[in-house]
Amino acid sequence: MADRVLVDFPFMESACYSLSCYFPSLESLLDFSTTCFHAAVSADPDPDLSKFRTIFSRVINNYPDLDPPLEAVWFFSALVFYDAPDDLLSILHLISAFTASSPSAAKPVALLAPVVSELFHSAKPRGNIEALVKAVLRCISTCCSRGEVDADAETEIMLPGFGELLKVWVVRKPRGECPFQVLFPLVGDEARQELTKEGSSVTFLAGVVVAEAFLLMLCLKVQGAGGVPHSDLQNKLRNWAISCISGFKNQQFYGVLLNMLENPPLPVYSPLSADDEILVRDVLYDALILLDNALLSGAEVDQADSSHFPISVSRLVITVDAINDVINDVINDARYLTSWAISQAGTDQHGKPIAITPQAFLKWLVELEDKGLKVFGENCSRIKERLMHDEGKDDNQCTISQSDLDLFLIDKQSHHEGMDTKGGDDEEAVEM
């Protein structure tokens, strides 16, 4: 398609809009078109946009290989959606039609952003929404499975007027709401700020869309799992999440999820209860930490390649957060066990454990058992054997250096795991 675009706007009443116009670029055409669109809907809440759609259909079809820029497809689909705001399936089919012709894996996914947003805000029954989200995820999976694609297609950046274009999609929403907040409700502020920057990439936008569709489906699964035992549901959702993340193999998507956990609170589907939100958070922690990350693994890693560095740092941060949560649980259990054992013995003559590790507490309780306090009952011999086995492994397997073991220590004041910056060989036992 030539750089200059000739377009006629015959449906506008103003004489200046009824003339044929040459536009030096698609960006200038979109700027002019968004102004016309807002003028039309302001003058008449139910304007006739049919001729406008015809014009943009011709603009899109003039691109070679039917691979128009993302912004052109977005504007055209917004015009179609304005006339049928309840027909999300038709919009999904319209946008999906461009996936086959595009050499990019990112752009067809990025095109789905308005659909995911409308599904989030939709008042339709949960079952209807879930069916459409599944269709979105299937489309995403198809695009992500393409493998090697045109490198130039994956470095495409969004036009400077991207923010103004979003207003076309949110024109029916209450005034005063931030278009980026409306279009991207399921990611954090940091991701939205990245999208507002000039030169933001279509690849990053695609990662945001995948993250939102994934998180929306996860929330819907939690919402619809009434009556399922918590542990069974968490295991099932964890396996599903790991499968999705592994299958998409989208580095931007993975990074967006990590960033969301790094910067709480986690944006989730509004109908969820507080307990459901905690479950979603725990599932994400489990999946992102336990995932055998094919995005970062490999036989050899180029140390000069810094593209994986932010993801590696984020994964380390959320791992530390998850460990802190476990440590807090261990501390609470330790306090309970200590109080219980002292109350059973009737005195604190047996002392207290010298550390708050699970192994140290079990060893202390075994010592109490040997002194006559019934702690484990019939399980005593089994636990003793387990402790002896673990101690044997510690004595015979020295695969971790002392410097590595000293890297993480328990903060005696906050009972949180922290980085050791002092070093030294003599560490005091944590007091209860």
Side-chain angles (χ1 to χ4, degrees):
M1 183 175 180
D3 291 337
R4 299 177 68 195
V5 185
L6 175 62
V7 179
D8 185 20
F9 294 89
F11 77 99
M12 296 293 184
E13 294 180 0
S14 173
C16 66
Y17 289 158
S18 64
L19 298 175
S20 296
C21 301
Y22 276 104
F23 295 90
S25 65
L26 175 64
E27 180 183 349
S28 61
L29 168 61
L30 288 171
D31 287 343
F32 183 78
S33 300
T34 53
T35 301
C36 293
F37 174 81
H38 286 297
V41 298
S42 297
D44 182 358
D46 188 25
D48 181 7
L49 301 177
S50 58
K51 293 181 180 178
F52 208 176
R53 290 196 301 272
T54 300
I55 291 167
F56 254 84
S57 178
R58 293 171 182 170
V59 170
I60 288 174
N61 286 320
N62 281 338
Y63 277 88
D65 301 323
L66 194 59
D67 184 32
L70 176 145
E71 293 84 354
V73 179
W74 262 21
F75 188 81
F76 175 65
S77 57
L79 295 175
V80 177
F81 181 70
Y82 188 87
D83 282 343
D86 293 326
D87 193 0
L88 280 173
L89 183 59
S90 295
I91 294 298
L92 177 59
H93 287 162
L94 172 64
I95 293 176
S96 299
F98 292 94
T99 62
S101 57
S102 176
S104 169
K107 185 167 69 177
V109 173
L111 285 170
L112 295 167
V115 177
V116 177
S117 170
E118 291 298 329
L119 288 171
F120 174 86
H121 295 292
S122 176
K124 293 178 180 294
R126 186 191 59 81
N128 293 357
I129 297 174
E130 186 170 344
L132 287 172
V133 177
K134 286 181 179 178
V136 169
L137 289 175
R138 284 195 296 269
C139 183
I140 290 173
S141 179
T142 299
C143 295
C144 291
S145 65
R146 290 181 174 179
E148 296 296 328
V149 296
D150 184 353
D152 292 336
E154 297 308 324
T155 57
E156 183 178 350
I157 62 174
M158 291 178 288
L159 296 177
F162 176 71
E164 290 299 314
L165 182 59
L166 297 188
K167 295 178 182 179
V168 177
W169 267 100
V170 303
V171 70
R172 291 182 181 273
K173 298 294 187 292
R175 293 189 177 184
E177 292 190 25
C178 172
F180 284 91
Q181 179 73 48
V182 175
L183 259 294
F184 306 103
L186 278 169
V187 291
D189 291 335
E190 189 168 326
R192 282 191 287 266
Q193 289 171 4
E194 180 65 28
L195 291 173
T196 63
K197 295 178 182 178
E198 183 173 344
S200 183
S201 71
V202 173
T203 302
F204 179 76
L205 173 57
V208 168
V209 173
V210 179
E212 290 204 303
F214 166 83
L215 187 56
L216 180 55
M217 177 56 78
L218 178 58
C219 292
L220 290 169
K221 284 178 176 291
V222 171
Q223 186 187 23
V228 179
H230 184 280
S231 59
D232 293 345
L233 179 59
Q234 184 167 348
N235 289 335
K236 181 179 179 180
L237 293 176
R238 180 199 302 122
N239 293 337
W240 175 83
I242 291 175
S243 176
C244 279
I245 299 171
S246 302
F248 290 148
K249 291 184 174 61
N250 186 301
Q251 181 176 325
Q252 297 289 347
F253 158 53
Y254 188 60
V256 169
L257 288 181
L258 287 170
N259 184 266
M260 289 163 62
L261 288 178
E262 260 190 288
N263 299 280
L266 183 69
V268 293
Y269 193 46
S270 53
L272 293 185
S273 67
D275 289 341
D276 287 342
E277 291 181 16
I278 293 173
L279 175 58
V280 169
R281 176 179 175 273
D282 289 344
V283 168
L284 288 179
Y285 268 113
D286 289 348
L288 293 174
I289 292 172
L290 297 176
L291 179 70
D292 182 12
N293 186 14
L295 300 175
L296 300 178
S297 64
E300 295 183 4
V301 177
D302 183 0
Q303 300 299 323
D305 181 7
S306 61
S307 63
H308 294 309
F309 184 80
I311 288 181
S312 297
V313 171
S314 294
R315 193 178 188 189
L316 178 61
V317 168
I318 71 161
T319 301
V320 171
D321 287 342
I323 291 173
N324 284 340
D325 288 341
V326 173
I327 288 174
N328 287 333
D329 291 339
V330 170
I331 291 171
N332 290 332
D333 290 340
R335 288 171 176 163
Y336 165 75
L337 289 171
T338 302
S339 299
W340 178 87
I342 291 175
S343 67
Q344 292 296 310
T347 175
D348 61 356
Q349 61 179 333
H350 297 300
K352 297 178 181 179
I354 61 173
I356 63 171
T357 63
Q359 295 91 334
F361 263 97
L362 288 174
K363 186 175 182 180
W364 178 65
L365 292 173
V366 167
E367 292 173 354
L368 294 183
E369 179 92 21
D370 291 340
K371 293 177 181 179
L373 182 64
K374 297 300 181 182
V375 179
F376 301 112
E378 296 179 355
N379 294 323
C380 185
S381 59
R382 179 177 60 83
I383 293 176
K384 282 183 177 181
E385 291 177 1
R386 175 61 184 271
L387 287 173
M388 292 177 61
H389 175 70
D390 290 343
E391 289 176 355
K393 289 196 300 183
D394 292 340
D395 292 338
N396 297 325
Q397 297 179 5
C398 299
T399 59
I400 303 178
S401 68
Q402 184 61 41
S403 60
D404 288 334
L405 291 172
D406 289 341
L407 185 61
F408 294 100
L409 298 174
I410 304 298
D411 185 331
K412 292 188 283 291
Q413 298 299 322
S414 62
H415 294 298
H416 280 186
E417 186 175 28
M419 298 295 290
D420 177 24
T421 58
K422 295 180 181 179
D425 296 328
D426 299 326
E427 297 293 343
E428 298 179 2
V430 179
E431 297 181 359
M432 292 301 297

